Amino acid sequence: MEIITQKDSKLTINPREKSLSPWEIARKKFVNNKLAIISLAFLIVVAIVSFLAPYITTADVTKINIGEMSLEPSSKHWLGTDKAGRDVFTRLLYGGRISLLVGLSCTLFVIVIGTLIGSVSGYFGGVIDSLLMRFTDFILNFPFLVFVIVLNAILFGKVNGLWVLIGTISMLSWGGIARIVRSKILAEKENEYITAALSIGCTPAKIIIKHLLPNILSTIIVQATITFATMIVAETGLSFLGFGVPQEIPSWGNMLNSATEPDVLQFKLWIWVPPALIITITILSINFIGEGLKDAFNPKSKR
């Protein structure tokens, strides 16, 4: 009788090859997004140059020089001087430090407060959810601009105006983040691994911190980039109106305040165009980074 034997076939699959994690896939997709990478590089350069301002320029950022008022750009003053004789380039660098500081600080506070309230509300539900969401609705409907103006008028000269501004913007801006985090927590807590964690006696705090938040971290990161751009716009707008960063502290918004005068707006472009351009490009860069992160974390994206 003829016996048919079958030779062992060699697998063509590399045993070392394994599926990439979601974070590795997101990183590769983000790196392939050229616009987002260019925007990130630009933002890093702006941040480094701004925070190294004391080592780049030796001009006094606050000194008023009557003899050099509103000078056009020259070899001595690369971007000219403003109405008080202060070097525009120097103020642009120091202003970047303040605007980015306000943006980063407000973003950090907003993300922490919004994530805390949203995760607690979404996890516990019931009465706690109702109370926290009604408070969130109150914050979302609060007259932001009026409150900032009134608070600035009351506390002007009494406390550090910069940190009052950061605290005020932060306390009135976390509502949207809280709602987004709540919706994600509500969907995520229905998964089986949460039931398993409850069955072995995990506390609510441990479940939220170690199980739920890591699984919605990508959403929080994307929202943080959007919030960062929004906070810079908020600081710029308030400072432009005269109710933001104190006038003695240079910021991009304060530099734009001079553009309210027709003479400066029409004939002295070097005073307001540089801060306007840097604000515009910075905001666009942050938005491009946010869009890149959104596409990177989106499993349906083909980029």
Side-chain angles (χ1 to χ4, degrees):
M1 183 175 63
E2 182 180 0
I3 300 176
I4 301 175
T5 60
Q6 182 178 4
K7 295 182 179 180
D8 295 334
S9 59
K10 294 183 179 180
L11 295 176
T12 57
I13 300 176
N14 187 352
R16 295 183 179 180
E17 185 178 347
K18 60 181 180 178
S19 59
L20 297 176
S21 68
W23 286 96
E24 291 173 329
I25 295 173
R27 180 184 61 82
K28 287 191 173 184
K29 290 167 70 175
F30 182 78
V31 170
N32 291 332
N33 190 326
K34 303 303 181 184
L35 187 58
I37 291 297
I38 293 173
S39 299
L40 179 61
F42 172 80
L43 190 62
I44 292 175
V45 170
V46 169
I48 292 175
V49 170
S50 296
F51 285 95
L52 292 180
Y55 303 98
I56 296 175
T57 175
T58 57
D60 192 337
V61 72
T62 59
K63 182 179 180 180
I64 297 176
N65 192 340
I66 299 178
E68 296 185 347
M69 295 171 57
S70 302
L71 294 180
E72 295 184 3
S74 62
S75 58
K76 183 178 180 181
H77 302 286
W78 294 352
L79 298 178
T81 61
D82 61 10
K83 298 182 301 178
R86 297 169 296 192
D87 185 73
V88 173
F89 176 71
T90 301
R91 287 178 60 81
L92 194 67
L93 296 184
Y94 279 89
R97 301 175 73 184
I98 299 301
S99 294
L100 293 177
L101 174 63
V102 172
L104 284 172
S105 300
C106 290
T107 299
L108 177 62
F109 291 136
V110 166
I111 293 298
V112 170
I113 297 172
T115 300
L116 176 63
I117 292 179
S119 58
V120 170
S121 177
Y123 179 79
F124 289 102
V127 177
I128 295 177
D129 182 30
S130 298
L131 291 175
L132 290 177
M133 285 302 100
R134 297 299 75 77
F135 180 60
T136 302
D137 291 338
F138 171 76
I139 293 296
L140 288 172
N141 293 316
F142 202 84
F144 172 78
L145 184 60
V146 174
F147 186 78
V148 172
I149 292 174
V150 171
L151 191 65
N152 183 77
I154 294 174
L155 299 178
F156 181 77
K158 298 180 181 180
V159 295
N160 192 323
L162 180 61
W163 289 104
V164 169
L165 178 67
I166 292 174
T168 304
I169 294 176
S170 302
M171 293 305 298
L172 297 177
S173 304
W174 54 263
I177 302 296
R179 283 198 167 277
I180 292 173
V181 171
R182 172 184 175 270
S183 65
K184 292 293 183 180
I185 293 291
L186 284 173
E188 197 68 28
K189 75 175 185 178
E190 300 298 328
N191 291 325
E192 294 180 355
Y193 70 90
I194 299 299
T195 305
L198 286 170
S199 66
I200 61 175
C202 288
T203 62
K206 186 175 182 180
I207 292 175
I208 292 174
I209 295 173
K210 291 190 175 182
H211 298 287
L212 289 173
L213 289 182
N215 285 286
I216 65 169
L217 187 58
S218 60
T219 300
I220 296 174
I221 292 174
V222 172
Q223 291 302 315
T225 59
I226 299 173
T227 303
F228 185 28
T230 304
M231 295 300 100
I232 293 179
V233 171
E235 180 277 321
T236 301
L238 290 170
S239 299
F240 174 75
L241 295 174
F243 299 105
V245 177
Q247 291 296 322
E248 64 271 14
I249 302 176
S251 75
W252 290 340
N254 281 344
M255 295 180 70
L256 284 178
N257 186 264
S258 301
T260 56
E261 301 179 11
D263 178 61
V264 174
L265 191 62
Q266 296 180 23
F267 305 110
K268 299 174 182 177
L269 303 181
W270 64 87
I271 294 179
W272 65 271
V273 167
L277 283 177
I278 195 67
I279 290 170
T280 302
I281 298 175
T282 300
I283 298 302
L284 286 175
S285 298
I286 297 173
N287 285 330
F288 288 143
I289 294 171
E291 287 297 321
L293 290 172
K294 184 178 179 181
D295 290 337
F297 288 116
N298 184 3
K300 297 180 180 179
S301 175
K302 300 298 182 181
R303 288 188 182 183

